[in-house]
Amino acid sequence: MPRGRNSNTKKDGQMAKLSYSLVLNHYILDLFGCKNMEALAEYLRNPALKGWDENNVSFFYQELKSHLFANEKITEQMLLKYDNNIWELTAEISRKRDLKIRWEYFQYLSLLFTEIYLDLYFSNKEKLLADLDEYLIEKFNTDNDAYHGISPFTENDLRKLAFWSATGSGKTLLMHANILQYK
């Protein structure tokens, strides 16, 4: 989200949308080689993808693996590790429920983005900070649609995450999952 003395205008002076101020979201999309969420979600909208195979690997993972590996920033092994973590927390939350959880694609992506962030943060937060600031300067601030004037991030900024989801999108359930992810 915008912080401090940030401008809410684009380079051309027009008002920018809030979605164009979400640097971390755009950074993670960039790790997948995508410019926007629509490009990442394009192959995941099929309802048949909700669920897991006999090896507890999500069908979302299989789709992401088959369509989106054009770079080395997120490897197949990393994606599988994140998917395994999501399966484990899903199994934990579903354990005492009659109806087992089957994530919608946008919920899965929310959990996946959180997995990626937590991995980057806890494995090397100094590198994450440097990479975010590099992304902010070299890519985000060069986008005419983006908010401009967002100052470089501090280590303290990395301690907070914000999620933007529609009404009825399962935010409460996702927060339960996020607590398990953090643990």
Side-chain angles (χ1 to χ4, degrees), residues 35-151:
K35 179 147 175 73
N36 56 45
M37 186 62 78
E38 291 75 28
L40 185 61
E42 178 181 355
Y43 301 102
L44 303 178
R45 289 189 169 101
N46 182 345
L49 297 176
K50 296 192 305 186
W52 313 89
D53 69 13
E54 65 280 355
N55 297 313
N56 300 324
V57 175
S58 78
F59 299 117
F60 292 131
Y61 161 82
Q62 294 168 7
E63 280 298 304
L64 286 171
K65 183 179 88 166
S66 67
H67 290 286
L68 296 171
F69 276 96
N71 66 66
E72 67 287 342
K73 294 177 184 175
I74 296 187
T75 67
E76 188 177 324
Q77 288 177 333
M78 292 166 70
L79 187 60
L80 183 58
K81 179 180 97 171
Y82 303 143
D83 189 73
N84 288 335
N85 291 345
I86 293 169
W87 181 85
E88 288 177 12
L89 68 90
T90 304
E92 174 66 23
I93 294 172
S94 293
R95 191 171 42 117
K96 294 182 180 180
R97 296 171 62 104
D98 292 332
L99 186 60
K100 303 302 180 202
I101 295 171
R102 295 180 63 215
W103 301 112
E104 297 290 340
Y105 76 91
F106 53 87
Q107 294 168 321
Y108 180 85
L109 288 175
S110 177
L111 295 170
L112 179 60
F113 278 33
T114 303
E115 284 292 323
I116 293 167
Y117 179 79
L118 291 173
D119 184 33
L120 296 173
Y121 180 82
F122 286 111
S123 64
N124 189 343
K125 66 180 146 191
E126 292 80 16
K127 182 177 180 341
L128 173 60
L129 183 62
D131 289 349
L132 267 175
D133 283 339
E134 179 181 334
Y135 176 80
L136 175 69
I137 293 164
E138 294 182 10
K139 291 189 176 180
F140 189 82
N141 284 340
T142 62
D143 184 343
N144 285 333
D145 289 328
Y147 279 126
H148 295 281
I150 295 176
S151 56

Side-chain angles (χ1 to χ4, degrees), residues 89 93 171-181:
L89 68 90
I93 294 172
K171 290 182 290 293
T172 303
L173 187 56
L174 285 171
M175 284 300 295
H176 288 280
N178 294 149
I179 290 167
L180 292 174
Q181 287 178 297

